[in-house]
Amino acid sequence: MRGLLATSIGVTCAAALALPLTPPATAVTARPAPSTETATAGVRATSPAAPLPGSTQSLPLTPLAPDRSLGGAHGLPRRDVRPFSLVGVVWNDPDAELHGRVQVRTRATGTGTWSGWRDLETHNADHGADPDTSERASAHVRGATAPLWVGDSDGVEVRVTPAADVRSQGTARGPRTATAAPLPSGLRLELVDPGKPTPKAGAAGHAPAGPLGGRAATALGPVTAQVAASDTRSVSDPGSVTAPVPVDARDAVAAKTSQATAASAANQDVAPLGATQIPALDRSATERELVTLRGTDLTDAQRAKPYIGPRPGIVTRRGWGADENLRESGFRYTTKVKAAFVHHTASGNNYTCSQAPSVIRGIYRYHVRSMGWRDIGYNFLVDKCGNIYEGRAGGVTKPVLGAHTLGFNSNSMGIAVIGTFTSTKPSASAVTAVARLTAWKLGLFGANPRGKTYLKSGGGNLYAKGKNVRLNVISGHRDGFATECPGRHLYGKLGSARSSAARYQGR
């Protein structure tokens, strides 16, 4: 793609990042490189040589017993499963649309109580890398519903019911009618256990339940040596290895450490290596930082009057507990950030702010292991308490190429508010966080949050490939693709976010 730069950061550091290793679950999968994957009894099985925190159970959906009320439906009868917290349905062809209704019910761990039926948003290819990019062309990319956060669960039932002949879908350009088609092939239920973060990841393993404000960046503590051998793993004190470590295990640990170091080093212009949080800055400090970061690209007018909002506090990938060994190595960048697309994760609103890092880890694993993307699709995420989280790796100040708005990922960024806002209003804290984040990040590249800009379409269902499209600098996902995202209630707040972001920039 034009304007695309692929880089890998190789960093040598005196203190390696310590990452958690957890024992593998026998009936659960943690899918590493797709080439090492084998299928056993409908569940992906992988080598235990490189265990990952968290896991994914992948279960095939089959035709349900004949029932006139569920004609042609596929699903999974009620059954016991290994613990999970996030659920979604995937299928083979990423370009195939699922026209129908996907419903799940789950059993809460501990209480044994079954939920009622809950709907999964079908997504229908509205997220993802742009056409004709290597990420989109990967043979491992799949179609998928939005993931749904259900909390700690150990039982599940699912049904996928085909739609009637037509359905109407609201978009920014008005209603769109879609003709129903048979259910896509290869339907599978994905049950995601987000795993546990390292104890050093943020405060008590999660982000604070409120905006970060002026908290200082937190760096890693002492180095912890980690070793792995076959099915057993041990963690020792620095310099004290209690068992022989096979060469391949050392290589696996070194590779994981290198990935984590590179992800953290990408933020070294704003935080120390290993930081779990990037601190907020006041306006004057942000303006000085702008000159440091973008000095050679600033015009005389920008130097005289820099329109940029104060940098907000941001929880890093280290802070929310990202397992850097899940994603592909290296980072990919576009040229600049001319626009921001706002999304909702459609994962439901039944989470606490202390659970938000777990929700993000679940979405990350779902995007990479279930949907086949190279990393989480969004550049940033925002929770209901207004906490801001780093998304796709590559550095929060840089124009990282995401996979959030199919056709418009170049020269833009994607911000996902955690929740579903089709019939529920977003919190004021979340909308304010979107405004503060866009005021700062768009300000780094000289963009006016109240303005318009042109982006060239990479191809989609609203705009043909190559068409120059005039969009709001802060747009909703539905402005670039025929989709309900970010939900009508969040979409209705974008005008307020634009005005607030412009005010934060001093316009």
Side-chain angles (χ1 to χ4, degrees):
M1 172 187 290
R2 207 172 152 187
L4 180 67
L5 174 63
T7 65
S8 295
I9 297 181
V11 180
T12 301
C13 152
L17 302 184
L19 295 178
L21 293 175
T22 58
T26 55
V28 185
T29 69
R31 188 180 126 195
S35 60
T36 67
E37 179 182 300
T38 59
T40 304
V43 180
R44 296 191 188 115
T46 57
S47 166
L52 302 170
S55 57
T56 298
Q57 299 171 80
S58 185
L59 307 172
L61 302 186
T62 57
L64 296 176
D67 184 332
R68 290 184 179 178
S69 66
L70 298 174
H74 282 56
L76 188 74
R78 184 181 295 192
R79 62 177 289 177
D80 298 339
V81 291
R82 301 280 298 185
F84 69 98
S85 298
L86 182 137
V87 59
V89 169
V90 302
W91 52 92
N92 294 339
D93 184 357
D95 295 318
E97 296 191 3
L98 193 161
H99 296 298
R101 190 176 189 184
V102 182
Q103 295 175 293
V104 299
R105 55 189 309 190
T106 56
R107 184 181 62 202
T109 302
T111 67
T113 303
W114 282 88
S115 71
W117 287 105
R118 287 178 280 189
D119 289 288
L120 275 63
E121 186 173 298
T122 55
H123 257 208
N124 291 327
D126 54 359
H127 293 68
D130 289 346
D132 300 327
T133 61
S134 59
E135 182 174 3
R136 182 72 178 181
S138 168
H140 307 292
V141 176
R142 302 177 182 88
T145 68
L148 179 68
W149 177 259
V150 295
D152 294 339
S153 304
D154 58 11
V156 68
E157 182 178 5
V158 61
R159 63 191 186 195
V160 182
T161 310
D165 291 338
V166 295
R167 69 171 183 169
S168 181
Q169 184 179 49
T171 76
R173 301 175 71 192
R176 174 177 178 265
T177 300
T179 302
L183 293 177
S185 62
L187 289 169
R188 303 181 70 85
L189 177 67
E190 302 285 293
L191 304 175
V192 179
D193 169 15
K196 304 299 182 185
T198 171
K200 293 186 178 68
H206 57 73
L212 291 172
R215 282 192 175 92
T218 304
L220 293 178
V223 176
T224 300
Q226 296 184 336
V227 296
S230 185
D231 289 332
T232 62
R233 275 144 290 275
S234 64
V235 179
S236 64
D237 292 329
S240 173
V241 177
T242 59
V245 184
V247 173
D248 60 348
R250 283 199 294 265
D251 289 345
V253 173
K256 176 175 280 192
T257 300
S258 176
Q259 285 274 81
T261 302
S264 183
N267 285 318
Q268 279 192 293
D269 52 0
V270 291
L273 188 67
T276 59
Q277 298 173 5
I278 296 170
L281 294 180
D282 61 22
R283 177 176 297 280
S284 60
T286 302
E287 291 176 352
R288 291 193 299 270
E289 182 180 76
L290 173 64
V291 174
T292 301
L293 294 174
R294 307 278 300 165
T296 58
D297 298 322
L298 297 178
T299 65
D300 290 340
Q302 287 175 311
R303 289 175 180 275
K305 180 61 177 177
Y307 291 108
I308 185 170
R311 187 181 77 196
I314 301 171
V315 179
T316 66
R317 290 172 64 91
R318 171 77 184 182
W320 54 260
D323 175 10
E324 299 297 349
N325 207 40
L326 285 177
R327 64 177 175 84
E328 289 184 12
S329 61
F331 312 124
R332 296 186 181 182
Y333 299 102
T334 185
T335 304
K336 61 183 69 174
V337 179
K338 297 171 61 179
F341 286 97
V342 178
H343 305 254
H344 67 174
T345 60
S347 52
N349 304 306
N350 189 27
Y351 72 94
T352 65
C353 292
S354 64
Q355 291 176 318
S358 293
V359 178
I360 296 171
R361 290 196 306 278
I363 294 172
Y364 171 42
R365 178 173 286 275
Y366 186 71
H367 281 182
V368 176
R369 293 309 189 211
S370 299
M371 298 179 68
W373 297 356
R374 73 184 314 272
D375 194 351
I376 192 170
Y378 310 115
N379 297 104
F380 297 93
L381 298 98
V382 172
D383 69 24
K384 63 177 70 175
C385 290
N387 294 309
I388 300 170
Y389 303 84
E390 178 185 14
R392 181 163 286 207
V396 298
T397 65
K398 301 176 179 66
V400 177
L401 180 68
H404 47 83
T405 307
L406 193 145
F408 291 99
N409 291 303
S410 288
N411 295 333
S412 70
M413 67 174 178
I415 302 169
V417 181
I418 302 172
T420 304
F421 304 107
T422 305
S423 57
T424 301
K425 294 181 180 179
S427 69
S429 295
V431 176
T432 297
V434 169
R436 291 190 179 279
L437 175 58
T438 51
W440 169 70
K441 186 65 182 276
L442 291 171
L444 287 176
F445 295 89
N448 181 352
R450 270 200 301 244
K452 302 274 189 179
T453 191
Y454 281 92
L455 293 178
K456 181 176 289 188
S457 172
N461 63 3
L462 280 183
Y463 301 103
K465 182 178 179 180
K467 180 177 177 60
N468 281 320
V469 182
R470 190 168 185 257
L471 295 163
N472 288 310
V473 168
I474 298 179
S475 284
H477 187 179
R478 63 174 63 183
D479 292 313
F481 198 96
T483 175
E484 297 287 348
C485 184
R488 65 186 182 89
H489 286 289
L490 179 54
Y491 189 75
K493 292 292 185 181
L494 295 188
S496 173
R498 294 181 192 110
S499 298
S500 295
R503 185 174 69 254
Y504 293 141
Q505 284 190 347
R507 294 182 186 272

